[in-house]
Amino acid sequence: AGSWVLCRIGSERFALPIAAVSELLEEPALADMPALGDRILGMLVTRFGRLPVHDPARLLGHSAGRPVQAVLVIGQESAPSWQ
């Protein structure tokens, strides 16, 4: 049956396999990166290196989400090669 991480984006709820989640960060400090556009909320420094934080509400076609409360780092096993 496996374990799942439940998350909410706007009024929608999603489940991700826990094996896909590398890290969960609550109330992360994001570096503002306005040049990256409105779908990127900022950059985050994690144990995997610098990662862009996407606004999942915008990626799903909704208006901007509420302030970031938590970030799921998905599918990172090592630092990205672009660092």
Side-chain angles (χ1 to χ4, degrees), residues 65-79:
R66 60 186 189 194
V68 177
Q69 294 177 328
V71 170
L72 287 175
V73 178
I74 299 172
Q76 291 292 321
E77 295 178 12
S78 62

Side-chain angles (χ1 to χ4, degrees), residues 49-72:
R50 294 178 308 231
L51 300 173
V53 176
H54 297 269
D55 184 346
R58 294 266 175 128
L59 291 172
L60 293 171
H62 301 294
S63 60
R66 60 186 189 194
V68 177
Q69 294 177 328
V71 170
L72 287 175

Side-chain angles (χ1 to χ4, degrees), residues 7-53:
C7 59
R8 185 179 64 217
I9 301 170
S11 61
E12 298 181 61
R13 293 175 189 240
F14 297 87
L16 298 166
I18 201 163
V21 177
S22 301
E23 194 167 1
L24 170 64
L25 304 165
E26 294 186 65
E27 299 182 16
L30 300 178
D32 191 27
M33 303 294 285
L36 296 177
D38 61 356
R39 290 186 182 194
I40 305 289
L41 296 172
M43 294 293 282
L44 177 66
V45 177
T46 73
R47 61 189 171 115
F48 302 107
R50 294 178 308 231
L51 300 173
V53 176

